[in-house]
Amino acid sequence: MNRDDGAGPQDRAPTAALPALTAQLGQNKHLPAGSGTVPAHAVLTVEGHGLGGLTTHASSAEVVVIDCSGSMSWPSTKISAARKAAAAAIGVLRDGTRFALVEGTDKARVVYPATGRMAVAGPDTRADAARTAHGLVAAGGTAIASWLACARDLLTAPEQDHPIRHALLLTDGRNEHDRPDELERVLAGCAGKFTCDARGIGDQWAAAELRAIAARLHGKADAVERDSDLEEEFRTMMTSAMTKALPGIRIRVRLRVGSELRFFKQVFPTELDLTAEAVQSGERSWDFPTGAWGDESRDYHLCVTADPAGDPMGEDMQLASLSLVADAVGGHPAEAVVAVPRPLPLLVHWTDDAALSTRVHPRVAHFAGHADLGRAVNAGCEAYERGGRATAEEEWGRAVRLAHDLGDEKMLRRLRRLVHVDDAREGRVRLRDAIAAGDLHAAWVGSDHSTQTQASWAASPPEPPEPPRPPASPRPVPGQRHAPGAAPVAAPGARASGTPGGPGAPGRPDVQCPRCGRVSPGTAQVCSQCRYGLADRPAPPEQHRRPEHERPEHEPPEPAA
């Protein structure tokens, strides 16, 4: 899961015997001076390493909710697949996990255990629950709000004091048998109490409802494209749930005076806006809850405003710091069972160099592209449902181009069921004459899913340590701001203003950096952007040079002759 994108090795892998969390921050600190208040964007990657060993201390509870409405009986493969899926999910429950199986129709009914409460997972109870699952019958209506309310009541009953609570939900229909506002009311009452992954099967479910459930309950919604896929899908989801061992991680964002947080979003594996869920933890700091964790990787996109007033030019200044705060595990303080990384600084470096200030970090660009992709898919789906076929074709063409550029093969596959693709690179498509409702909702529900970028050194060259310089007397900067209680940060590798120079023959031609492509004067000893050594670098023989179009996509350009 680790990536080479400029983070130090101490941040990319655990160095202690304890299970560990690691963090990397992708950012372009260079912002244009003289532009007033500007946004500073960054992507924080958090990874868990070795957390599986904490499962012996983790207390968890699971509820499996299966749609048993009458529509699940046609075709019969749906209810058959649902029975197998429920049994498969129950089969991978960890010993000691509290669990229940709920039958969802126009009401919710706990079909296992018979007491209507929660059972304790073990060989006998798993076998009994699987037999009950294989006997589920499809008959009745669809009232999803009541199903979720039942799951909430089970998971939050006074005797069920479990820090990790999760539900799996399957439906093939819309929330037709609840009052129009009931689902929203129930979701508000469930938020923060448990997480829920939701799946739709068949053609009649509503992507908007499943996306709302996943967004409010911090889960993932998706389509089951073939009935035969459902069993493995449920087994995979429950296996993932069973790896959750750390009850919670909070991401703490501490801002300097004068800066404001515009938004904080999870962007991988799905997009989830967490801005409104911030809990103030200090005068200038806020905590964002992220739920339970196992050995996994998630990405978060934050945007902080930056104002150059009072800041010096050409120096690294700290806009904010980001730190991880882990919850206690099984009565043990978090620091005793899991190692966390040191806080990471979000920096600003004011510059007049447009080549630096207009550069976008690859990971920020990647997730901005996914946000654009999601908007295009949603706009196309909404237009199609309104009868706007021309608009749908245009938006889905844009979505095809973006999915192609991002390498999102899953979304491309789903879009191809909506349009004939003539040229994916250019986004030239033709709307299909007939589109199945299930295919429409499969694309729609997946519009907030994302892929994870693998940034390279070439795409995001790190700054090597700067050669030692004579100490300079500090100069006061009127109105200079920094994080409360901390001095302004001068990050390792910070560069002095001006262009480095060195000995060289007069009239020597400009040289192009082989690492980042920046053109520097011929007398430069190091690249003015990434500080790669340029002095006395011989040009490659002409016969070994390759045309630009033949080079691999991530290979650095060759230096100018």
Side-chain angles (χ1 to χ4, degrees):
M1 291 187 293
N2 296 320
R3 285 161 294 198
D4 285 331
D5 58 358
Q10 69 275 15
D11 288 333
R12 291 202 302 270
T15 56
L18 288 175
L21 301 172
T22 61
Q24 304 171 33
L25 192 64
Q27 59 178 320
N28 178 27
K29 64 187 178 184
H30 298 94
L31 295 179
S35 301
T37 300
V38 295
H41 293 267
V43 169
L44 174 71
T45 298
V46 180
E47 296 179 347
H49 305 265
L51 300 183
L54 301 177
T55 55
T56 54
H57 305 291
S59 173
S60 60
E62 293 283 340
V63 174
V64 178
V65 182
I66 300 296
D67 186 340
C68 292
S69 61
S71 58
M72 284 289 289
S73 64
W74 190 88
S76 60
T77 52
K78 278 196 293 187
I79 190 62
S80 175
R83 293 169 183 146
K84 294 176 183 176
I90 291 166
V92 296
L93 287 170
R94 195 171 57 239
D95 282 355
T97 302
R98 296 280 181 167
F99 77 101
L101 175 62
V102 173
E103 171 193 82
T105 56
D106 49 328
K107 59 181 179 297
R109 182 169 72 96
V110 181
V111 293
Y112 190 87
T115 60
R117 301 197 177 200
M118 300 277 273
V120 180
D124 293 340
T125 54
R126 283 194 294 266
D128 289 345
R131 281 192 290 271
T132 301
H134 282 296
L136 292 173
V137 176
T142 305
I144 299 174
S146 68
W147 308 351
L148 291 169
C150 178
R152 177 200 61 206
D153 294 345
L154 287 166
L155 292 167
T156 60
E159 69 274 13
Q160 303 298 337
D161 186 18
H162 306 285
I164 302 175
R165 299 186 291 264
H166 176 251
L168 295 182
L169 183 148
L170 172 72
T171 185
D172 80 327
R174 299 167 184 261
N175 191 45
E176 297 175 328
H177 294 90
D178 279 318
R179 295 193 305 271
D181 60 344
E182 186 70 2
L183 182 58
E184 175 56 33
R185 186 187 69 79
V186 169
L187 285 174
C190 293
K193 294 182 171 63
F194 66 98
T195 60
C196 181
D197 292 312
R199 295 295 184 267
I201 190 171
D203 288 338
Q204 301 306 314
W205 55 280
E209 290 177 354
L210 262 62
R211 291 184 64 196
I213 292 169
R216 294 298 296 273
L217 304 184
H218 288 201
K220 182 177 181 179
D222 205 355
V224 180
E225 299 182 29
R226 296 185 300 270
D227 294 353
S228 58
D229 295 338
L230 184 59
E231 181 179 356
E232 185 57 33
E233 182 81 359
F234 261 51
R235 183 180 290 110
T236 299
M237 285 193 292
M238 188 61 82
T239 300
S240 175
M242 290 294 96
T243 66
K244 299 292 191 288
L246 193 58
I249 298 174
R250 287 165 284 140
I251 299 176
R252 180 166 295 168
V253 180
R254 189 182 187 202
L255 302 175
R256 77 173 185 178
V257 174
S259 291
E260 300 295 336
L261 184 72
R262 287 193 176 177
F263 63 76
F264 187 90
K265 301 176 181 179
Q266 177 186 288
V267 288
F268 177 84
T270 59
E271 183 172 314
L272 178 63
D273 194 340
L274 301 175
T275 310
E277 300 184 22
V279 177
Q280 191 158 5
S281 54
E283 183 181 356
R284 298 289 299 164
S285 67
W286 288 264
D287 286 2
F288 296 89
T290 65
W293 278 71
D295 284 352
E296 59 188 295
S297 176
R298 302 182 201 173
D299 286 298
Y300 300 89
H301 182 185
L302 70 153
C303 178
V304 175
T305 61
D307 187 340
D311 283 353
M313 287 278 290
E315 294 183 21
D316 286 347
M317 304 295 296
Q318 182 169 299
L319 280 178
S321 68
L322 284 76
S323 54
L324 305 183
V325 182
D327 291 349
V329 181
H332 303 284
E335 60 269 18
V337 293
V338 63
V340 298
R342 65 177 182 267
L344 299 175
L346 176 62
L347 304 175
V348 62
H349 186 111
W350 300 105
T351 180
D352 291 327
D353 189 335
L356 290 178
S357 62
T358 58
R359 188 180 181 198
V360 180
H361 191 279
R363 283 155 63 195
V364 174
H366 178 82
F367 290 115
H370 267 293
D372 289 341
L373 171 60
R375 284 189 287 267
V377 173
N378 288 339
C381 292
E382 291 167 359
Y384 186 82
E385 284 213 326
R386 294 193 307 267
R389 292 176 62 87
T391 301
E393 182 178 272
E394 179 183 354
E395 293 292 347
W396 286 338
R398 186 162 67 95
V400 165
R401 176 178 56 80
L402 289 165
H404 174 272
D405 292 345
L406 291 164
D408 192 338
E409 295 298 330
K410 180 179 177 180
M411 180 53 75
L412 271 176
R413 185 181 70 249
R414 293 186 177 185
L415 287 168
R416 288 181 189 276
R417 295 173 186 159
L418 311 180
V419 293
H420 299 283
V421 177
D422 296 327
D423 188 329
R425 184 184 296 273
E426 298 296 329
R428 291 202 302 271
V429 303
R430 290 171 290 115
L431 198 67
R432 290 187 178 273
D433 293 335
I435 295 175
D439 291 337
L440 178 72
H441 289 290
W444 207 340
V445 78
S447 62
D448 61 359
H449 299 182
S450 59
T451 59
Q452 202 166 31
T453 179
Q454 296 289 332
S456 65
W457 288 103
S460 181
E463 294 184 40
E466 188 177 17
R469 290 178 293 173
S473 301
R475 57 185 178 88
V477 180
Q480 180 171 310
R481 296 187 300 256
H482 51 83
V489 173
R495 297 192 295 270
S497 58
T499 302
R508 185 174 178 177
D510 290 347
V511 60
Q512 187 176 28
C513 176
R515 175 187 284 171
C516 70
R518 179 67 175 270
V519 177
S520 299
T523 55
Q525 290 185 303
V526 296
C527 172
S528 57
Q529 177 162 292
C530 72
R531 304 194 66 79
Y532 183 82
L534 300 174
D536 301 320
R537 178 177 174 83
E542 188 64 28
Q543 62 268 27
H544 294 307
R545 300 187 64 170
R546 286 180 287 169
E548 187 73 30
H549 69 275
E550 291 182 5
R551 296 190 198 117
E553 181 180 356
H554 298 297
E555 181 177 308
E558 297 175 10

